[in-house]
Amino acid sequence: MRKILLSLAVLWSMSLGVFAQDHHDHQEHATESHEHAQEAGEHADEHAQHTCGCDEAHEAEYDAGATAFHHISDANAFHLFGELYLPLPCILYAPDHGLSVFLSSKFHIGHHGTGEKAVDGYVLNHGEVMRVSTPDFPKEEVEIDCILAHKGDDGHDHYEVVYQGNCFPLDKKTTFDGGLMGGGVTSYYDLSITKNVFTMMLVFVLLFWLFRAVAKGYQKREGMAPKGVQSFMEPVFVFIRDEVAIPFLGPKYEKYLPYLMSIFFFILGLNLIGQIPFFPGSGNVTGNLAVTMTLALFTFVVTTLNGKKDYWMHIFWMPGVPAWIKVILTPVEILGMFIKPLTLMLRLFANITAGHIVIIIFVSLIFIFGNAGESIGGSSLGGAMAVPLTLFMMSIELLVAFIQAFVFCILSASYIGAAIEEHHEHH
Amino acid sequence: MTGTLAALGAGLAVIGAGIGIGNIGAKAMDAIARQPEAAGEIRSNMILMAALVEGAALIAIILSIFVK
């Protein structure tokens, strides 16, 4: 009991130290942002590029929601600690400028992942590369003053870079979400090795190394009892085969077993590495809609390509029901074909993201109670609440990491199983 | 105002999913108590059903985030 209390106290004091540093950064950021209302007046009689400065200080309150979204989003530099960042390669393509390839350390990453320099018309804003689309901005390496943020009329954040007293609007990277999340096709494409891509590569390498060791073990000890990492992986592998693949896929399960295993271990690896709050973890990969969409798309393609005659007949002309019901049923079944991978994508994304957001909100209690660093007593109270709550949430997330990998796998198996079933005894 | 309504909608969806998953859990525990030898099969089916119920709630939550 005393040991547990002692380790709690140590964790708590550590978190206070770490987040005091973090808070300092936040205030810095707060002074950089300024009100949109004030600017709207200037906008009326001047064009987009107007004179402005960085000294319009505004005391903004600590925004837990914005902090949470900043921490779960992807970045072009990997935050190690303090102001130390691991630079990642930036591969950027703008149709009017061509390809730019450089390391993100060229931005001279400073406070909160914001670059002090602009390279090729690109700047680094909170770890994210953005581009100045106006042609009169210098295309070489130049020192920038700061980056301003303000809420637009559409409810999304807009950014401007200040260079030699002039403001230049910033473009976000091109996304193909059709404006659903405030994205769209802009003036450049970001094909960089980002934090998420880096984490995925790390998981590829880890899984390859792990399974190669297991495979070698089976070669060496053929017919003998498993040993070492082999005996750790075998029950998991056998569990997925016996509880997921065979019951759902029937006798032809072997064809789909590699797919199910890959998807299970890949998602599990990404979930677990995302639980580590520092390098090389902390990449929120399975909490990224693009990643889960791709994974769900794989299941959709495998299901659709392997669908047998019975599967398509059940979608387009359900046997054994009156004709007027078929008219209603067919559109529902066709919709269902697409809703299945859609829920697959949303389930994994929402579970992982929600877990991460809750942890960050619990940690934010320190700043909310401490009135953003003004009150030590409040911060201590917030810290005393945040540590046990965060520990509790992290253990829940560990459970969720396994459950969601398993659920993705078992649902993929059931969708594929429904598609490859040859005949039905019951209707 | 629409933000508040969206939040209320998300809350209602979560209540529905909560009742549904609660029912699934209760019935699964019942079934395991009656037939402990089928515990493994019941458990994986329970998780599958819970995931399906959860999916409906998640769609509502995601919609409530995007509706501004």
Side-chain angles (χ1 to χ4, degrees), chain A residues 25 45 60 67 91-92 108 116 125 159 161 180 182 200 217 224 230 249 263 269 333 345 357 383 387 411:
Chain A
D25 290 353
D45 37 41
T67 314
I91 305 161
L92 304 152
H108 288 243
E116 287 158 4
N125 179 23
Y159 298 96
V161 61
L180 195 67
M200 274 195 272
M224 285 191 274
Q230 234 185 315
L249 299 172
I263 216 151
E333 286 284 337
M345 153 184 132
I357 289 182
V387 169
L411 284 174

Side-chain angles (χ1 to χ4, degrees), chain A residues 155-156 180-181 243 248 289 343 346-347 349-351 403-404 406-407 410-411 415, chain B residues 40-41 43-45 47-48 50-56 58-59 62 65-66 68:
Chain A
H156 296 297
L180 195 67
M181 294 177 74
E243 301 291 323
F248 284 99
L289 260 182
T343 53
L346 289 179
R347 180 176 300 110
F349 161 74
N351 270 289
I403 289 179
Q404 287 310 316
F406 176 63
V407 161
I410 201 172
L411 284 174
Y415 297 156
Chain B
E41 207 168 306
R43 195 176 301 119
S44 52
N45 274 316
I47 292 174
L48 180 67
L52 288 175
V53 171
E54 196 187 43
L58 287 178
I59 290 180
I62 298 293
I65 289 175
F66 290 146
K68 281 259 167 73

Side-chain angles (χ1 to χ4, degrees), chain A residues 115-249:
Chain A
E116 287 158 4
K117 283 195 171 171
V119 184
D120 279 4
Y122 296 101
V123 296
L124 195 68
N125 179 23
H126 283 170
E128 196 183 339
V129 169
M130 290 185 180
R131 183 171 188 260
V132 188
S133 50
T134 42
D136 44 354
F137 189 81
K139 292 292 178 226
E140 60 273 12
E141 233 182 283
V142 287
E143 194 103 10
I144 56 167
D145 297 344
C146 69
I147 292 167
L148 304 170
H150 56 78
K151 269 251 179 298
D153 300 325
D154 53 355
H156 296 297
D157 279 333
H158 289 267
Y159 298 96
E160 281 178 322
V161 61
V162 181
Y163 170 64
Q164 291 182 343
N166 287 325
C167 265
F168 297 90
L170 284 174
D171 266 357
K172 288 182 190 175
K173 68 179 161 211
T174 296
T175 55
F176 295 107
D177 61 347
L180 195 67
M181 294 177 74
V185 177
T186 58
S187 68
Y188 77 106
Y189 300 85
D190 188 351
L191 312 166
S192 312
I193 310 287
T194 58
K195 190 173 152 186
N196 282 358
V197 179
F198 176 83
T199 312
M200 274 195 272
M201 286 173 171
L202 194 70
V203 171
F204 290 151
V205 172
L206 276 176
L207 285 181
F208 182 75
W209 169 76
L210 191 67
F211 279 96
R212 206 165 150 67
V214 173
K216 266 193 181 156
Y218 279 108
Q219 243 167 18
K220 241 194 307 193
R221 286 183 288 279
E222 208 184 334
M224 285 191 274
K227 209 175 151 192
V229 71
Q230 234 185 315
S231 46
F232 179 71
M233 300 308 289
E234 195 178 287
V236 185
F237 197 91
V238 169
F239 174 76
I240 298 292
R241 191 192 65 192
D242 291 351
E243 301 291 323
V244 178
I246 294 177
F248 284 99
L249 299 172

Side-chain angles (χ1 to χ4, degrees), chain A residues 285-363:
Chain A
V285 186
T286 37
N288 185 314
L289 260 182
V291 174
T292 58
M293 187 186 77
T294 313
L295 292 173
L297 208 63
F298 281 137
T299 296
F300 177 73
V301 168
V302 170
T303 310
T304 311
L305 288 186
N306 290 294
K308 293 279 181 325
K309 204 181 117 217
D310 276 317
Y311 172 68
W312 295 113
M313 208 162 80
H314 273 75
I315 287 176
F316 291 115
W317 209 244
M318 181 79 84
V321 293
W324 64 274
I325 291 184
K326 283 177 183 169
V327 175
I328 308 166
L329 217 51
T330 304
V332 173
E333 286 284 337
I334 291 172
L335 266 181
M337 236 173 87
F338 296 100
I339 288 175
K340 278 173 185 172
L342 192 76
T343 53
L344 215 52
M345 153 184 132
L346 289 179
R347 180 176 300 110
L348 183 59
F349 161 74
N351 270 289
I352 303 301
T353 306
H356 288 331
I357 289 182
V358 169
I359 284 184
I360 296 163
I361 298 290
F362 280 157
V363 170

Side-chain angles (χ1 to χ4, degrees), chain A residues 19 71-72 78-80 195-196 198-199 202-203 206 267-286 352 355-356 359-360 390 393-395 397-398 401:
Chain A
F19 293 112
H71 280 265
I72 60 166
F78 212 126
H79 184 227
L80 298 176
K195 190 173 152 186
N196 282 358
F198 176 83
T199 312
L202 194 70
V203 171
L206 276 176
I267 293 175
L268 182 65
L270 288 175
N271 283 350
L272 289 180
I273 211 163
Q275 301 286 302
I276 307 169
F278 43 79
F279 184 82
S282 85
N284 178 32
V285 186
T286 37
I352 303 301
H356 288 331
I359 284 184
I360 296 163
T390 309
M393 203 56 220
M394 281 199 140
S395 44
E397 267 211 275
L398 210 57

